[in-house]
């Protein structure tokens, strides 16, 4: 894709499943046998999502959750229209760190739309693990944000819905769409210039 209309960043501690969430959304797959690997800096991928019959190219930045990469990952927050802060409902520490990620984001991109995402829903549903983060605390904390969603990268539950809602919220934002339209016009002019001066 030559351009991205919306930029989404994923934040959260390591092991919460950010990369699995992105892979499930973009490639519609989940591989439980793949050994865990730390994301270094950030990984980028893109996908087209349609809203009201119109296609929008979405760029997704999966940032590192390890503390040693924090200084590096902050640069990826700039220009983000939306952020998904992930936590593992079965790991209280990942929830405790969530406030840190939100503060980090706000220092760089104050107007960014923020969504909380609880991962590994399939483990909770099957009672394989005990939930450590109470639902009422999550609901209270997420009231000041743009939404909260429980997802499962393994089954795909609520993954598509989460990203669809984010893009719909961006499309409904007049200021965001003004920037998108201006960028599209600018890119179109640049493409026209390239065609005029192309002698191949």
């Amino acid at each position: 894709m030559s351009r991205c209309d919306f930029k989404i960043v994923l934040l959260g501690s390591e092991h919460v499943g950010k990369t699995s969430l992105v892979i499930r959304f973009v490639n519609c797959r989940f591989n439980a046998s793949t050994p865990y690997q730390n994301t270094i800096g950030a990984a980028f991928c893109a996908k087209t999502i349609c809203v009201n019959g119109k296609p929008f190219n979405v760029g997704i930045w999966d940032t590192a959750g390890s503390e040693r990469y924090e200084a590096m990952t902050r640069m990826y927050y700039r220009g983000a229209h939306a952020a998904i802060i992930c936590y593992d409902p079965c790991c209280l520490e990942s929830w405790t760190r969530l406030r840190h990620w939100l503060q980090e984001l706000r220092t760089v991109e104050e107007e960014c739309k923020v969504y909380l995402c609880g991962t590994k829903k399939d483990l909770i549903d099957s009672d394989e693990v005990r939930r450590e983060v109470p639902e009422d605390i999550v609901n209270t904390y997420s009231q000041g944000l743009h939404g909260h969603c429980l997802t499962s990268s393994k089954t795909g539950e609520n993954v598509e819905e989460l990203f669809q809602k984010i893009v719909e919220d961006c499309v409904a934002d007049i200021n965001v769409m003004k920037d998108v339209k201006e960028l599209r016009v600018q890119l179109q002019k640049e493409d026209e210039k390239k065609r005029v001066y192309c002698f191949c």
Side-chain angles (χ1 to χ4, degrees):
M1 294 182 186
S2 58
R3 59 169 172 76
C4 287
D5 297 307
F6 306 124
K7 178 181 179 179
I8 301 175
V9 292
L10 270 74
L11 295 72
S13 301
E14 53 187 340
H15 300 288
V16 296
K18 300 186 297 297
T19 300
S20 293
L21 182 70
V22 174
I23 291 173
R24 165 56 77 174
F25 174 64
V26 176
N27 300 323
C28 300
R29 63 182 175 84
F30 176 81
N31 191 349
S33 62
T34 303
Y36 178 80
Q37 288 184 317
N38 272 330
T39 300
I40 300 174
F44 174 79
C45 58
K47 185 172 181 176
T48 300
I49 298 178
C50 288
V51 176
N52 300 326
K54 297 178 180 178
F56 295 92
N57 295 332
V58 181
I60 304 165
W61 291 95
D62 171 20
T63 65
S66 176
E67 290 184 39
R68 59 183 163 170
Y69 299 125
E70 281 186 22
M72 189 191 306
T73 57
R74 286 190 199 104
M75 72 175 90
Y76 297 105
Y77 303 163
R78 193 163 303 282
H81 298 98
I84 302 172
I85 306 181
C86 297
Y87 71 96
D88 179 353
C90 307
C91 176
L92 186 59
E93 185 181 352
S94 72
W95 173 258
T96 305
R97 288 278 292 165
L98 188 142
R99 292 175 184 270
H100 162 77
W101 294 112
L102 181 58
Q103 289 170 356
E104 287 282 287
L105 175 69
R106 289 302 190 208
T107 59
V108 178
E109 201 59 57
E110 194 174 342
E111 298 303 316
C112 184
K113 302 178 192 301
V114 179
Y115 302 79
L116 300 187
C117 176
T119 58
K120 308 176 186 180
K121 185 177 184 295
D122 52 289
L123 297 180
I124 299 173
D125 293 342
S126 63
D127 292 326
E128 286 185 43
V129 291
R130 184 175 63 86
R131 182 176 185 135
E132 293 185 2
V133 184
E135 288 183 72
D136 58 337
I137 291 178
V138 176
N139 292 333
T140 300
Y141 189 77
S142 61
Q143 283 179 3
L145 304 175
H146 279 79
H148 170 260
C149 192
L150 271 178
T151 63
S152 169
S153 298
K154 184 176 183 179
T155 66
E157 185 176 358
N158 292 331
V159 174
E160 190 82 28
E161 290 82 353
L162 171 61
F163 284 92
Q164 184 72 33
K165 173 176 169 46
I166 292 172
V167 176
E168 287 175 359
D169 288 350
C170 287
V171 171
D173 189 316
I174 296 172
N175 293 325
V176 171
M177 284 306 296
K178 181 183 177 183
D179 292 341
V180 169
K181 289 172 183 176
E182 287 177 355
L183 179 60
R184 285 184 171 185
V185 170
Q186 181 183 336
L187 289 172
Q188 186 176 358
K189 288 179 179 177
E190 289 176 3
D191 287 342
E192 288 172 356
K193 283 182 181 178
K194 288 177 184 177
R195 284 198 294 269
V196 168
Y197 293 106
C198 180
F199 299 101
C200 50

